Amino acid sequence: MKEDESDGRSIKSNETLFAIVESLRESEGAGVTELADRLGLAKSTVHKHLVSLERHGYVVNEDGHYRLGLQFFNVGVSVRNQFEVYHAAKERINQLAFDVDETVWLIVPENGMGMFIYGVPRSESFSFDSTIGNWVPLHANSAGKAILAHLPERKVLETIDRHGLPARTENTITDRDALFEELERVRERGYAVNYQEDLRGLHALATPVIRDGRPIAAVAIAGAANRLTEERIQAELSEPLLEAVDDIELRLVYG
Protein backbone atom coordinates (compact mmCIF):
# COMPACT_ATOMS: atom_id res chain seq x y z
CA MET A 1 0.00 0.00 0.00
CA LYS A 2 1.31 3.44 -0.89
CA GLU A 3 2.16 5.73 1.99
CA ASP A 4 -0.17 8.51 0.79
CA GLU A 5 -3.06 6.06 0.57
CA SER A 6 -2.39 4.93 4.15
CA ASP A 7 -2.23 8.55 5.30
CA GLY A 8 -5.49 9.30 3.51
CA ARG A 9 -7.28 6.46 5.28
CA SER A 10 -5.87 7.56 8.62
CA ILE A 11 -7.05 11.13 8.08
CA LYS A 12 -10.51 9.92 7.05
CA SER A 13 -10.69 7.76 10.17
CA ASN A 14 -9.71 10.74 12.33
CA GLU A 15 -12.37 12.90 10.69
CA THR A 16 -14.96 10.21 11.40
CA LEU A 17 -13.87 10.04 15.03
CA PHE A 18 -14.21 13.81 15.46
CA ALA A 19 -17.60 13.78 13.72
CA ILE A 20 -18.86 11.17 16.19
CA VAL A 21 -17.57 13.18 19.16
CA GLU A 22 -19.18 16.39 17.88
CA SER A 23 -22.46 14.62 17.21
CA LEU A 24 -22.51 13.20 20.74
CA ARG A 25 -21.79 16.65 22.14
CA GLU A 26 -24.59 18.30 20.18
CA SER A 27 -27.18 15.63 20.94
CA GLU A 28 -26.05 14.90 24.53
CA GLY A 29 -25.76 11.23 23.66
CA ALA A 30 -27.06 8.71 21.10
CA GLY A 31 -27.11 5.06 20.12
CA VAL A 32 -25.07 3.42 17.36
CA THR A 33 -27.93 3.34 14.85
CA GLU A 34 -28.88 6.96 15.49
CA LEU A 35 -25.29 8.10 15.06
CA ALA A 36 -24.81 6.04 11.92
CA ASP A 37 -27.97 7.45 10.34
CA ARG A 38 -27.15 11.01 11.34
CA LEU A 39 -23.59 10.86 9.99
CA GLY A 40 -24.23 8.62 6.99
CA LEU A 41 -21.84 5.95 8.24
CA ALA A 42 -21.95 2.20 8.58
CA LYS A 43 -23.02 1.03 12.02
CA SER A 44 -19.92 -1.16 12.24
CA THR A 45 -17.70 1.89 11.68
CA VAL A 46 -19.49 3.91 14.33
CA HIS A 47 -19.39 1.03 16.80
CA LYS A 48 -15.65 0.51 16.26
CA HIS A 49 -14.91 4.14 17.07
CA LEU A 50 -17.22 4.16 20.08
CA VAL A 51 -15.53 1.08 21.53
CA SER A 52 -12.15 2.77 21.17
CA LEU A 53 -13.42 5.98 22.77
CA GLU A 54 -14.99 4.03 25.63
CA ARG A 55 -11.77 2.12 26.21
CA HIS A 56 -9.94 5.40 26.77
CA GLY A 57 -12.67 6.95 28.93
CA TYR A 58 -13.88 9.50 26.40
CA VAL A 59 -17.38 8.02 26.10
CA VAL A 60 -19.63 6.09 28.45
CA ASN A 61 -21.94 3.29 27.31
CA GLU A 62 -25.20 3.29 29.23
CA ASP A 63 -27.17 0.30 27.92
CA GLY A 64 -26.35 1.12 24.32
CA HIS A 65 -26.74 4.87 24.72
CA TYR A 66 -23.39 6.61 24.41
CA ARG A 67 -22.52 9.96 25.92
CA LEU A 68 -19.26 11.86 26.27
CA GLY A 69 -17.18 10.90 29.30
CA LEU A 70 -15.49 12.93 32.00
CA GLN A 71 -12.11 12.27 30.43
CA PHE A 72 -12.85 15.25 28.18
CA PHE A 73 -13.30 17.38 31.30
CA ASN A 74 -10.03 16.05 32.67
CA VAL A 75 -8.23 17.05 29.48
CA GLY A 76 -9.93 20.46 29.40
CA VAL A 77 -8.87 21.28 32.95
CA SER A 78 -5.32 20.21 32.14
CA VAL A 79 -5.27 22.45 29.07
CA ARG A 80 -6.55 25.44 31.03
CA ASN A 81 -3.93 24.90 33.72
CA GLN A 82 -1.23 25.25 31.07
CA PHE A 83 -2.13 28.92 30.56
CA GLU A 84 -0.07 31.16 32.82
CA VAL A 85 -2.59 33.94 32.36
CA TYR A 86 -5.28 31.80 34.00
CA HIS A 87 -3.24 31.46 37.19
CA ALA A 88 -2.12 35.09 37.10
CA ALA A 89 -5.64 36.42 36.55
CA LYS A 90 -7.89 34.21 38.66
CA GLU A 91 -7.49 35.90 42.05
CA ARG A 92 -7.61 39.40 40.55
CA ILE A 93 -10.76 38.59 38.58
CA ASN A 94 -12.40 37.34 41.77
CA GLN A 95 -11.60 40.65 43.43
CA LEU A 96 -12.78 42.72 40.47
CA ALA A 97 -16.12 40.90 40.34
CA PHE A 98 -16.62 41.59 44.05
CA ASP A 99 -15.65 45.25 43.69
CA VAL A 100 -17.96 46.06 40.75
CA ASP A 101 -20.69 43.51 41.58
CA GLU A 102 -20.88 42.34 37.98
CA THR A 103 -19.89 39.23 36.06
CA VAL A 104 -16.22 39.20 35.03
CA TRP A 105 -14.73 36.92 32.36
CA LEU A 106 -11.29 35.83 31.21
CA ILE A 107 -11.24 35.13 27.47
CA VAL A 108 -8.28 33.62 25.62
CA PRO A 109 -7.83 33.77 21.82
CA GLU A 110 -6.92 30.72 19.76
CA ASN A 111 -7.11 30.12 16.02
CA GLY A 112 -8.99 33.35 15.43
CA MET A 113 -11.72 32.70 18.02
CA GLY A 114 -12.04 33.43 21.72
CA MET A 115 -12.88 31.04 24.56
CA PHE A 116 -14.27 31.81 28.01
CA ILE A 117 -11.85 29.96 30.29
CA TYR A 118 -12.76 31.52 33.65
CA GLY A 119 -15.37 33.80 35.14
CA VAL A 120 -17.11 34.97 38.27
CA PRO A 121 -20.88 35.41 37.95
CA ARG A 122 -23.18 38.02 39.39
CA SER A 123 -26.00 36.37 41.34
CA GLU A 124 -28.63 36.84 38.62
CA SER A 125 -26.25 36.29 35.74
CA PHE A 126 -27.18 34.56 32.47
CA SER A 127 -26.43 30.86 32.03
CA PHE A 128 -22.96 30.91 33.55
CA ASP A 129 -21.98 27.24 33.51
CA SER A 130 -22.89 26.89 29.84
CA THR A 131 -20.65 29.84 28.94
CA ILE A 132 -17.35 28.52 30.30
CA GLY A 133 -15.66 26.67 27.45
CA ASN A 134 -17.70 28.40 24.76
CA TRP A 135 -16.12 29.81 21.62
CA VAL A 136 -17.07 33.33 20.50
CA PRO A 137 -16.17 35.26 17.33
CA LEU A 138 -13.71 38.00 18.19
CA HIS A 139 -15.42 40.78 16.24
CA ALA A 140 -18.75 40.52 18.07
CA ASN A 141 -17.83 41.11 21.71
CA SER A 142 -15.78 43.47 23.83
CA ALA A 143 -13.05 40.97 24.75
CA GLY A 144 -12.56 39.94 21.15
CA LYS A 145 -12.37 43.52 19.92
CA ALA A 146 -9.87 44.35 22.68
CA ILE A 147 -7.69 41.50 21.43
CA LEU A 148 -8.08 42.34 17.73
CA ALA A 149 -7.21 45.99 18.39
CA HIS A 150 -3.73 44.95 19.53
CA LEU A 151 -2.95 42.47 16.76
CA PRO A 152 -1.07 43.37 13.56
CA GLU A 153 -3.42 44.29 10.72
CA ARG A 154 -2.47 41.18 8.75
CA LYS A 155 -3.54 38.98 11.69
CA VAL A 156 -6.89 40.75 11.87
CA LEU A 157 -7.37 40.26 8.12
CA GLU A 158 -6.47 36.58 8.45
CA THR A 159 -9.09 36.20 11.18
CA ILE A 160 -11.73 37.91 9.06
CA ASP A 161 -10.86 35.77 6.04
CA ARG A 162 -11.05 32.61 8.14
CA HIS A 163 -14.19 33.27 10.16
CA GLY A 164 -15.96 36.14 8.41
CA LEU A 165 -17.95 38.78 10.26
CA PRO A 166 -21.22 37.00 11.01
CA ALA A 167 -24.02 38.95 12.69
CA ARG A 168 -24.87 37.82 16.21
CA THR A 169 -27.46 40.55 16.66
CA GLU A 170 -28.58 43.56 14.63
CA ASN A 171 -25.85 45.56 16.41
CA THR A 172 -22.91 43.37 15.40
CA ILE A 173 -20.26 44.99 13.23
CA THR A 174 -20.31 43.09 9.93
CA ASP A 175 -18.38 45.52 7.72
CA ARG A 176 -14.59 45.26 7.51
CA ASP A 177 -13.94 49.01 7.33
CA ALA A 178 -16.33 49.67 10.22
CA LEU A 179 -14.49 47.06 12.30
CA PHE A 180 -11.10 48.68 11.69
CA GLU A 181 -12.56 52.06 12.66
CA GLU A 182 -13.89 50.51 15.86
CA LEU A 183 -10.51 48.93 16.63
CA GLU A 184 -8.87 52.34 16.31
CA ARG A 185 -11.36 53.72 18.86
CA VAL A 186 -10.52 50.81 21.17
CA ARG A 187 -6.83 51.71 21.07
CA GLU A 188 -7.58 55.38 21.74
CA ARG A 189 -10.00 54.61 24.60
CA GLY A 190 -7.94 51.86 26.20
CA TYR A 191 -10.83 49.41 26.35
CA ALA A 192 -13.47 47.92 24.06
CA VAL A 193 -17.23 48.06 24.52
CA ASN A 194 -20.05 45.81 23.44
CA TYR A 195 -23.52 47.29 23.31
CA GLN A 196 -25.75 44.28 22.56
CA GLU A 197 -23.49 43.16 19.71
CA ASP A 198 -23.12 39.58 20.93
CA LEU A 199 -26.32 39.05 22.95
CA ARG A 200 -29.44 41.20 23.13
CA GLY A 201 -29.82 42.89 26.49
CA LEU A 202 -26.12 42.55 27.34
CA HIS A 203 -23.47 45.25 27.57
CA ALA A 204 -19.78 44.71 28.30
CA LEU A 205 -16.39 46.33 28.36
CA ALA A 206 -13.01 44.66 28.09
CA THR A 207 -9.30 45.33 27.87
CA PRO A 208 -6.52 43.03 26.70
CA VAL A 209 -3.83 41.37 28.76
CA ILE A 210 -0.59 42.18 26.95
CA ARG A 211 2.56 40.12 27.28
CA ASP A 212 5.71 40.65 25.23
CA GLY A 213 3.82 43.10 23.06
CA ARG A 214 0.95 40.80 22.09
CA PRO A 215 -2.55 40.21 23.49
CA ILE A 216 -2.72 36.82 25.17
CA ALA A 217 -6.15 37.27 26.76
CA ALA A 218 -8.77 39.84 27.69
CA VAL A 219 -10.72 40.58 30.85
CA ALA A 220 -14.34 41.65 30.41
CA ILE A 221 -17.03 43.02 32.71
CA ALA A 222 -20.49 42.08 31.45
CA GLY A 223 -24.04 42.64 32.62
CA ALA A 224 -27.56 43.72 31.80
CA ALA A 225 -27.77 46.69 29.45
CA ASN A 226 -29.89 48.68 31.90
CA ARG A 227 -27.09 48.43 34.51
CA LEU A 228 -24.01 48.70 32.34
CA THR A 229 -24.93 51.98 30.72
CA GLU A 230 -22.42 53.97 28.70
CA GLU A 231 -22.23 56.51 31.53
CA ARG A 232 -21.52 53.87 34.19
CA ILE A 233 -18.92 52.17 32.00
CA GLN A 234 -17.03 55.44 31.63
CA ALA A 235 -17.48 56.73 35.18
CA GLU A 236 -17.34 53.60 37.35
CA LEU A 237 -16.16 50.48 35.52
CA SER A 238 -13.39 51.33 33.08
CA GLU A 239 -10.84 52.40 35.71
CA PRO A 240 -11.21 49.31 37.97
CA LEU A 241 -10.96 47.10 34.88
CA LEU A 242 -7.78 48.78 33.65
CA GLU A 243 -6.24 48.61 37.13
CA ALA A 244 -7.06 44.90 37.41
CA VAL A 245 -5.45 44.12 34.07
CA ASP A 246 -2.36 46.14 35.01
CA ASP A 247 -2.04 43.94 38.10
CA ILE A 248 -2.45 40.76 36.03
CA GLU A 249 0.27 41.87 33.61
CA LEU A 250 2.60 42.56 36.54
CA ARG A 251 1.94 39.10 37.96
CA LEU A 252 2.82 37.58 34.59
CA VAL A 253 6.16 39.36 34.65
CA TYR A 254 7.11 38.94 38.30
CA GLY A 255 5.15 35.83 39.26
Side-chain angles (χ1 to χ4, degrees):
M1 182 184 297
K2 295 181 180 179
E3 185 176 343
D4 57 349
E5 290 179 354
S6 176
D7 289 345
R9 290 186 180 183
S10 177
I11 291 171
K12 184 177 180 181
S13 178
N14 290 339
E15 291 292 337
T16 298
L17 181 68
F18 289 129
I20 290 171
V21 169
E22 285 297 319
S23 185
L24 287 174
R25 182 182 67 84
E26 293 169 1
S27 63
E28 298 184 358
V32 173
T33 301
E34 182 182 348
L35 282 169
D37 290 344
R38 185 184 303 154
L39 299 173
L41 298 169
K43 288 194 289 185
S44 59
T45 298
V46 172
H47 184 260
K48 177 183 67 176
H49 283 294
L50 288 172
V51 168
S52 179
L53 286 164
E54 182 183 7
R55 185 183 306 123
H56 293 281
Y58 288 96
V59 301
V60 176
N61 180 0
E62 298 174 332
D63 297 324
H65 184 85
Y66 292 86
R67 62 169 176 80
L68 297 183
L70 286 171
Q71 183 63 10
F72 279 106
F73 181 71
N74 178 271
V75 170
V77 170
S78 297
V79 171
R80 185 172 70 172
N81 284 337
Q82 293 173 15
F83 285 88
E84 289 183 65
V85 69
Y86 165 68
H87 299 285
K90 186 176 178 180
E91 181 181 336
R92 194 60 180 84
I93 284 176
N94 293 345
Q95 183 62 50
L96 179 61
F98 177 82
D99 290 342
V100 301
D101 193 27
E102 296 290 352
T103 297
V104 180
W105 297 107
L106 177 66
I107 296 90
V108 169
E110 191 172 82
N111 296 326
M113 296 285 284
M115 177 174 281
F116 294 88
I117 71 166
Y118 184 70
V120 179
R122 193 179 193 270
S123 58
E124 45 82 88
S125 182
F126 37 86
S127 183
F128 183 80
D129 287 338
S130 64
T131 303
I132 293 292
N134 269 5
W135 291 106
V136 289
L138 296 178
H139 73 287
N141 62 85
S142 60
K145 289 190 291 183
I147 290 166
L148 289 173
H150 291 80
L151 289 175
E153 183 176 322
R154 64 178 179 82
K155 288 290 187 182
V156 178
L157 291 172
E158 288 174 6
T159 298
I160 295 172
D161 290 341
R162 180 172 184 177
H163 298 290
L165 297 172
R168 304 272 286 186
T169 72
E170 62 275 11
N171 296 320
T172 306
I173 296 174
T174 57
D175 177 79
R176 182 175 301 203
D177 291 338
L179 177 62
F180 276 101
E181 291 174 4
E182 174 69 4
L183 298 182
E184 179 61 31
R185 286 191 288 271
V186 172
R187 288 188 288 271
E188 292 173 355
R189 191 191 301 122
Y191 59 90
V193 293
N194 162 16
Y195 296 130
Q196 303 188 67
E197 296 170 48
D198 187 28
L199 292 170
R200 291 182 182 87
L202 181 75
H203 284 179
L205 68 156
T207 196
V209 178
I210 305 293
R211 187 176 193 185
D212 298 327
R214 65 184 184 89
I216 61 169
V219 177
I221 300 173
N226 64 345
R227 289 199 315 272
L228 267 68
T229 61
E230 183 175 358
E231 293 75 14
R232 185 177 174 221
I233 286 174
Q234 293 176 354
E236 299 179 23
L237 299 177
S238 60
E239 186 173 345
L241 173 63
L242 293 169
E243 289 176 352
V245 171
D246 282 345
D247 288 346
I248 293 167
E249 291 175 347
L250 286 172
R251 293 182 190 192
L252 283 167
V253 173
Y254 298 107

